[in-house]
Structures are given as C-alpha cells and as structure tokens.
Amino acid sequence: MDHPLPLAASEAAVLTACGAGLIDVAVAFGSTVTLDIPHLVAARGEILALIGPSGSGKTTALRAVAGFVRPQRGRIFAAGRDVTALPPRARGIGMVVQSYALFPHLSVGDNVAFGLAVRGVPRAERRQRVRECLDLIGMGGFETRLPRTLSGGQQQRVAIARALAIRPPLLLLDEPLSALDAQIRAQMVDEIGRLHARLPDTTILYVTHDQAEAMTLAHRIAILNRGRLAGLGSGRALYERPPSRFVAEFLGRANLLPIRCLGWDGARGRLAVACGETRFELATPALASWPARMLLCLRPHHLVADGGAPNRFEATLRRVHWLGAQQTLAVEFAGTLLAATASASALLPPEGARIALGFAAEDASLVADDA
Amino acid sequence: MRKRGAGLGLAGPPALVLGLTLAYPLALILGTARRGAGVLASGAFLAALLHTVAIALAATAGAMSLALVFALVLAFAPFPGGRACARVAETTIALPSFLIALALTFAYGSAGVVNGALAALFGPGGPRVDFLYSAWGVILAEITIYMPFVLRPLLATFDAIDRAQIEIAAGLGAGAGVILRRVILPAAVPALLAGGSLCLLLTLNEFGVVLFIGAKGVITLPVLVYDKAIQEFDYPAACAIASVNIGLALALFATYRLLLGRLAHDAVH
Ligand SMILES: Nc1ncnc2c1ncn2[C@@H]1O[C@H](COP(=O)(O)OP(=O)(O)O)[C@@H](O)[C@H]1O
Ligand SMILES: [Mg+2]
C-alpha cells in the first residue's frame, strides 16, 4: 500500500468528528479499478445512502469500511478513528447484509448475543442487552426461536438487532431490504427510520438500489457509477439540480434535450437557450464556462400540458396513461420522446394530435452531456 | 385399489430378485448361525470382535480428522492446486480397496521403496520401517481409502456456508478460533457424523485390506468368517460370526440413514 499523504490539520479535525469516511480510497481487483473515491465523509449520526447501478462498487465501498477489502491506497475512517490498518474484528462496526447471514444453528437470542459473548460481556448483562435490542426492533419474545423458523422480515430484524447489540457507532447496511416483498419493505423503511431516531448518534451507511428507500431514509445520497462518485447531496438537490447526465437519468425520470446557448440576460437573471428552432428562458445560475454539449433536464412533473408557464412549445401526443391522481403523457418533440404530466381532469386532444406543453423557468436545469 | 394392485405388481419382480439374492441367503446364514453359536464364547471370536471395533474406530477417527483438516484448508484457506488434490483423493473411492493396500506395501513394506532407500543409506539390515504389518498398517490403509467418504460431504457443507456469516462474525469481534468453533464446526457436524458413520460401517466390514496387508495376528470378524468357512469348513461357526457382523453393520447403517436424513432436512431449511 502507498503511504497515505498527510492530511491538512483542518481536514484531520473534521475526520476525528466524522461518522465514517473514505479519503482518497482506491480498490482494485486484479487490474480493474473497482472503487476510486477521493473524498466521501458521513457526519456523525448521519444516514448516508449509497446508490448506483449493480456493479458500481457499493458493496465494495462498504466492505472497505468494514475491513474485508484492503484498499490499494487511501484511508478509512470509522467513528472518528483511522481504521485503515485495523482488521475487521477490531473496527467495532455493525453490519447487515442482504442474505441476513444469521447463524443457523444458534437461537435468535444467541445470534444477537454473539458479539457480546465474543467481547466477554457477563451473562446477565448479555441477556439484558439482547432483550433490549430485540425489543427495539419489535422482536421481543423470539429469543429461543431458530432463524429458519422466522419469516424474511423477522430474520432481517434479528440481523439488525445482532448488529446493534455491540452498540456500534457505525452501522453498515448492504441492501438490507432487497430480499423482502414490497409491502414489508415499506414497513421496514419506516422501522429503520424510527430506529435511527432512537439512536441518533449512530451513523448509518445504507446501500440500496431502491431510490425511494434512499430518498425516504437518507440525509444525503452518494451516487456511484463505475466505482466513482457521480453525485453527492440531499435527495432533493440531486433530483432538482443533477450534477451530471448520469445522475439525472439514474435518479427518477428525466427528459433530456440537447440545446445551444443564446445568451445571458443579467438584468432578469435568465439564460436564453435554443432547442432546434424553439427558444427557452431558464433561471439557472450563470455558467462560468459552457461545456461542449449541454442538455436541458426536465422532470416529467415539471413538463405540464396546457400549463400557464412561460416556456411553451408544441409537441405531438403519442400516448396517455390515466393514473387516478394524474395523467402521464408520452409526447414527441424535436425527434425525442418526452414524458409529461397533466391533471386527472385535463381534457386532452386525441393521440396523434398536437398538444401545447410548458414549464417554468425555475424548473429546468442544465447538465453536461457526459454519457 | 387398482392403483395399489398395479403398484404391487410392479414391485413383484424386484422383490423376487431381492428375495433370491439377499433375503434367502441371509435367512440361511441366520438359520445356520444358531448351530454354531458356541464360537461366540471363544477367545478367537472375542479377540476378532475387539480388533474389528478398535481398528474401525481408529480408522474412522483418523479419516474424520484428516478429512476435517483437509476440507477446512480447501474451503477457507485454498491454495493453488488444492482442489485438484481433493479430486485425486476422491478418486481413491473408485479404486478397489486392496489396491491401496498393495500400494502401501510397495511404499512402506519390508521390500518397499522407503525401506529400500533406508537400506541404501544406512547399510543392510532388517526392515527399519515396520509398522505396516500391524494393526497400524491396516488403520493407515483404511484411513487413506475411506477419508474421501468424509471429505466429500464436508466440502459440500463448507462450500454452502454463506461467507457473509464468517464476515459478520469477524465484524462482531470474533477471531479465527471462535469463528471455527461457533460458526464453521456446528455447520460441519451433520456431514462429519454422516461421513463418519459411513466410514465406520465400511471399515467394520473391510476384508480385502486386512487380507492384503497380511498383518500377523490382526484377525477381524470378516477375516475370521473367511478362516472358519474356507479353511476350517466350520460353516455354522462362520455363520454365527457373520451374523454378529451383520447386526453391527445394520445398526450402523440405520444410524447413517438417520443422520443423512437430518442432513437433507437441514439443507432444505
Ligand atoms: N472479490 C472480488 N474479486 C473480483 N472482483 C470483484 C470482487 N468483489 C467485487 N468485484 C467486482 O467489483 C465490481 C463492483 O462490485 P460490487 O461492489 O459488488 O458492486 P455493487 O454492490 O454496487 O453491485 C463488480 O464489477 C464486481 O464484479
Ligand atoms: Mg452489492
């Protein structure tokens, strides 16, 4: 391993207060770099979600923090400590994986007590803490059951209780709910949220491929793409002002239109752009430089049929889906198929006819075409 | 009812074959055994019984320990070529057991490779390595032959352990010893017991190896049956001894099936 660079004093101070951190971390299996993260730090007590497509390095990032993957370079911090050189057993981190990985021959109680027994916690205290942890997760009274007699959701709760029993300052959850069906998953998301409210100092790194889970639970979301950090911020910021085309398309649906810049109107704070022959005005901040290819990013619910918005254009209506609360439209504009919305009561022209659409200057964002 | 009748009809021929080849001779043996029951009080029988059980237990214990170590290394600390080694070890299942005994004789026998090399190094003299013609030689041969019967189910069990269990245990603070004792070995118990009881069953019945090693004074039950029947023409005594051997083997086989059932049950859940 390379010698890590000395950290600046201010940086070191931040890290001793952090919940978890990957600083200049690179992981490679063979010759392919699987993870390359210059800086990713979760505050103490923060829920930081890691999302990204399958194979983007989410699990590898968690395993690096837990100590099961040795980075080629960089430093790993857990609960303010530099744990880079420590083996997993000395890191004191709680971990829950998709397969639950409960010890099948141990009872629920002994599963939860495992970390305490290893630490030599006396029997009476052990029993007390096992009961606390199981109560915390709604599994009181299940101590003597064997894991295989439990449902998936119950097994997941036991796995969480087992991780929490050692009172870890940092909890790593790797797709903990992906093996559960949708209804139980939604319930467990709430449950984990409540759990964190009762353990507000516990930092959670939460890996998921489910954006809704990430949006619901996490304070901030880190988006990984091919082992690199493609975006980091609150779910809302990433959704409304995506930093890249990848993030725009990965987080929710996005309409992306190639545009060229016409000019910046400083007095009104508007940027004029053109898509084909159609002119739009956007309330985006002035750009210091203009990347070679820019895209206009419009979320479907911002692109409204017959809206009174200033940016209006005509498109061809291709399809309509009525979803109760609203209607979703597929329209064709400048050779691109766009997703738009209309209120449930809006009267729409027949499919194949022209339709007027519009969006507010504030609702559009610009992303560089990095794909 | 018709279905059941058809089922019985289908079961007829195999039942007939089984009856002629297995049940009838067995019944004959058991019937004859009553007349030779006197041999069961003889010193020769008791010595053979003791030898048989002691050798079978020792060989089984040896095979189980060796297989456990081998399987642990292969599954959790794999080395290049390890799986190939296992494959080679497993092919001994396909070989006639006396061939292994013969191979050991070539290696460690009084005129074998090892003694030849020692004689070349230290001058002529009686065989320096002489364990082969004793119960130890039989035990060594049986360990070599039957170890794969334990190795195979153990490897299957270890390959099926979710590696996340081991990582979680390590994350909770467990060292290698605790992980071995509390995570890996409990999972191995059914395979170890099933493989071990099969091993015990086969070593109890082993005949060829004992005969081929030709160890002086190592007479086991099957060898005693052979001596009584073929050399002394004392069929009633041979049958009485064989009945004891059969009883032992069947009891063990029942245990083996029970454990195997448990193993399958655990695998399902
Ligand atoms: N132990 C390993 N050996 C080799 N390649 C690995 C290993 N673990 C992960 N990878 C590779 O690293 C990439 C990222 O994997 P992973 O972190 O599991 O992705 P994710 O959890 O985001 O789906 C994948 O291409 C995967 O094949
Ligand atoms: Mg993963």
Side-chain angles (χ1 to χ4, degrees):
Chain A
M1 199 170 80
D2 296 344
H3 276 289
L5 296 170
L7 299 167
S10 58
E11 172 93 57
V14 168
L15 287 171
T16 52
C18 81
L22 294 98
I23 306 297
D24 193 27
V25 167
V27 175
F29 295 109
S31 59
T32 46
V33 175
T34 300
L35 198 66
D36 186 352
I37 297 199
H39 188 102
L40 179 61
V41 174
R44 182 161 296 173
E46 178 176 11
I47 302 180
L48 177 65
L50 269 61
I51 68 176
S54 168
S56 57
K58 307 180 295 290
T59 296
T60 304
L62 273 205
R63 288 165 57 79
V65 173
F68 299 115
V69 166
R70 264 207 165 284
Q72 267 63 38
R73 99 178 116 72
R75 292 181 172 192
I76 308 281
F77 286 80
R81 273 195 313 163
D82 184 341
V83 296
T84 316
L86 296 182
R89 52 185 294 231
R91 296 192 182 191
I93 296 173
M95 197 162 145
V96 175
V97 295
Q98 184 180 353
S99 65
Y100 319 136
L102 296 176
F103 306 124
H105 52 277
L106 295 184
S107 68
V108 165
D110 287 343
N111 262 283
V112 178
F114 190 93
L116 302 175
V118 168
R119 282 168 167 65
V121 173
R123 187 174 291 271
E125 189 186 340
R126 227 189 294 166
R127 196 167 312 140
Q128 172 66 25
R129 279 180 49 185
V130 166
R131 196 170 312 129
E132 275 173 24
C133 288
L134 285 175
D135 284 344
L136 199 59
I137 200 80
M139 288 292 288
F142 282 80
E143 277 92 337
T144 57
R145 295 273 291 270
L146 279 177
R148 65 165 176 257
T149 67
L150 304 180
S151 71
Q154 290 172 326
Q155 290 189 35
Q156 190 54 274
R157 286 162 202 262
V158 175
I160 293 173
R162 176 177 63 180
L164 288 176
I166 60 171
R167 296 189 181 148
L170 173 59
L171 187 59
L172 308 178
L173 304 176
D174 191 356
E175 309 212 11
L177 308 183
S178 57
L180 303 175
D181 56 49
Q183 197 181 342
I184 298 179
R185 197 155 63 216
Q187 209 176 313
M188 282 301 290
V189 167
D190 291 345
E191 192 102 23
I192 293 173
R194 274 200 296 278
L195 188 69
H196 186 261
R198 292 178 64 175
L199 304 168
D201 289 333
T202 306
T203 311
I204 297 180
L205 293 189
Y206 190 98
V207 165
T208 177
H209 61 251
D210 185 322
Q211 313 170 14
E213 263 172 43
M215 293 273 195
T216 311
L217 273 177
H219 299 115
R220 284 187 307 157
I221 296 175
I223 301 183
L224 289 183
N225 183 28
R226 300 205 194 122
R228 284 161 208 280
L229 203 56
L232 175 65
S234 72
R236 180 164 190 175
L238 289 173
Y239 183 80
E240 289 180 348
R241 295 267 175 261
S244 65
R245 175 176 185 163
F246 176 80
V247 172
E249 290 188 305
F250 187 77
L251 214 56
R253 270 210 72 174
N255 296 305
L256 298 171
L257 289 167
I259 47 160
R260 44 179 216 284
C261 183
L262 297 178
W264 168 250
D265 180 349
R268 291 171 52 232
R270 291 285 189 270
L271 183 72
V273 299
C275 174
E277 297 306 307
T278 315
R279 192 189 146 98
F280 297 130
E281 287 195 339
L282 313 176
T284 64
L287 294 170
S289 68
W290 187 258
R293 291 186 300 163
M294 270 313 244
L295 297 169
L296 178 66
C297 171
L298 280 171
R299 299 297 182 180
H301 67 274
H302 287 148
L303 189 56
V304 188
D306 229 13
N311 290 305
R312 300 173 66 88
F313 62 96
E314 280 208 339
T316 310
L317 184 59
R318 289 296 174 207
R319 253 179 315 284
V320 180
H321 293 290
W322 189 82
L323 293 178
Q326 60 174 37
Q327 306 180 72
T328 66
L329 322 177
V331 300
E332 196 179 321
F333 172 70
T336 316
L337 216 53
L338 306 178
T341 49
S343 67
S345 56
L347 289 173
L348 299 173
E351 291 182 4
R354 302 289 284 172
I355 182 171
L357 298 165
F359 62 92
E362 294 75 16
D363 288 339
S365 58
L366 291 174
V367 295
D369 188 359
D370 52 359
Chain B
M1 268 336 261
R2 247 180 66 204
K3 231 173 151 182
R4 195 144 155 222
L8 280 179
L10 282 179
L16 191 68
V17 171
L18 263 182
L20 283 177
T21 58
L22 191 67
Y24 180 60
L26 260 180
L28 275 186
I29 288 177
L30 295 177
T32 316
R34 272 186 303 149
R35 284 187 282 123
V39 77
L40 299 186
S42 72
F45 167 76
L46 291 177
L49 180 62
L50 196 70
H51 266 133
T52 308
V53 173
I55 287 175
L57 284 176
T60 302
M64 284 169 75
S65 324
L66 196 63
L68 182 60
V69 172
F70 201 11
L72 281 173
V73 171
L74 282 176
F76 300 108
F79 55 93
R83 289 281 157 167
C85 283
R87 205 101 358 100
V88 169
E90 283 183 351
T91 49
T92 57
I93 288 181
L95 301 177
S97 58
F98 64 82
L99 217 61
I100 305 291
L102 200 63
L104 287 175
T105 311
F106 277 130
Y108 305 110
S110 47
V113 178
V114 172
N115 273 315
L118 288 176
L121 277 175
F122 302 108
R128 289 183 168 80
V129 175
D130 199 23
F131 68 92
L132 196 61
Y133 304 110
S134 67
W136 293 114
V138 176
I139 291 169
L140 177 72
E142 291 188 351
I143 288 177
T144 314
I145 294 160
Y146 294 116
M147 189 273 282
F149 287 83
V150 193
L151 181 64
R152 205 171 240 285
L154 268 182
L155 274 180
T157 301
F158 286 164
D159 286 346
I161 292 183
D162 184 358
R163 291 301 188 270
Q165 275 179 34
I166 293 168
E167 293 192 353
I168 296 270
L172 289 170
V178 174
I179 292 176
L180 187 66
R181 223 174 44 248
R182 299 207 56 199
V183 180
I184 296 176
L185 288 186
V189 167
L192 212 49
L193 288 183
S197 49
L198 183 60
C199 210
L200 195 59
L201 178 70
L202 295 171
T203 49
L204 271 180
N205 292 340
E206 185 56 54
F207 176 63
V209 168
V210 188
L211 201 70
F212 254 77
I213 297 269
K216 285 177 292 291
V218 181
I219 306 284
T220 60
L221 288 181
V223 174
L224 193 60
V225 173
Y226 175 78
D227 283 352
K228 289 284 175 210
I230 307 299
Q231 296 185 340
E232 297 173 25
F233 301 108
D234 185 354
Y235 286 109
C239 287
I241 299 163
S243 306
V244 174
N245 206 339
I246 291 168
L248 266 178
L250 284 182
L252 256 173
F253 187 63
T255 317
Y256 169 68
R257 289 305 300 262
L258 206 75
L259 290 170
L260 215 58
R262 277 260 306 274
L263 197 64
H265 183 263
D266 285 354
V268 166
H269 292 277

